[in-house]
Amino acid sequence: MFDFLQISLQVSSVVIVAAVVNPWIFILAVPLFCAYFMVRRYYVQTSRSVKRLEGTTRSPVFSYLSATLQGLPGHAHGAEAHGRV
């Protein structure tokens, strides 16, 4: 949230300085601000979903499953003993 506030203030100050020099800049700035807030809202929703999925994949069940799959032998049972590797 702090990053958003800092970037918003920087962008706002640049637009204000540009508008003092050329007032026509507001014609372009208003739709850009609207687009910026829409993208931010989409990003927050997506970020929240990704964090939820990451938490799910780090749950103990998935870690046990991963450990089990990593511990399984790569060859058929008994094939090494019979020399068929």
Side-chain angles (χ1 to χ4, degrees), residues 2 4 8 10 14 16 20 23-24 35 38 40 46 58 75 83:
F2 178 72
F4 169 72
S8 296
Q10 289 176 350
V14 168
I16 289 171
V20 168
W24 290 99
M38 288 176 21
R40 180 190 172 271
T46 305
R58 290 180 182 239
H75 302 286

Side-chain angles (χ1 to χ4, degrees), residues 2-63:
F2 178 72
D3 291 336
F4 169 72
L5 183 62
Q6 183 179 6
I7 292 171
S8 296
L9 289 175
Q10 289 176 350
V11 169
S12 299
S13 62
V14 168
V15 170
I16 289 171
V17 169
V20 168
V21 174
N22 184 4
W24 290 99
I25 197 75
F26 279 121
I27 294 172
L28 182 62
V30 172
L32 285 177
F33 272 124
C34 293
Y36 177 72
F37 284 110
M38 288 176 21
V39 168
R40 180 190 172 271
R41 184 176 58 197
Y42 176 74
Y43 170 76
V44 167
Q45 291 173 352
T46 305
S47 173
R48 201 173 289 143
S49 296
V50 168
K51 285 181 183 178
R52 181 182 52 83
L53 286 172
E54 183 182 13
T56 301
T57 58
R58 290 180 182 239
S59 72
V61 173
F62 284 102
S63 64

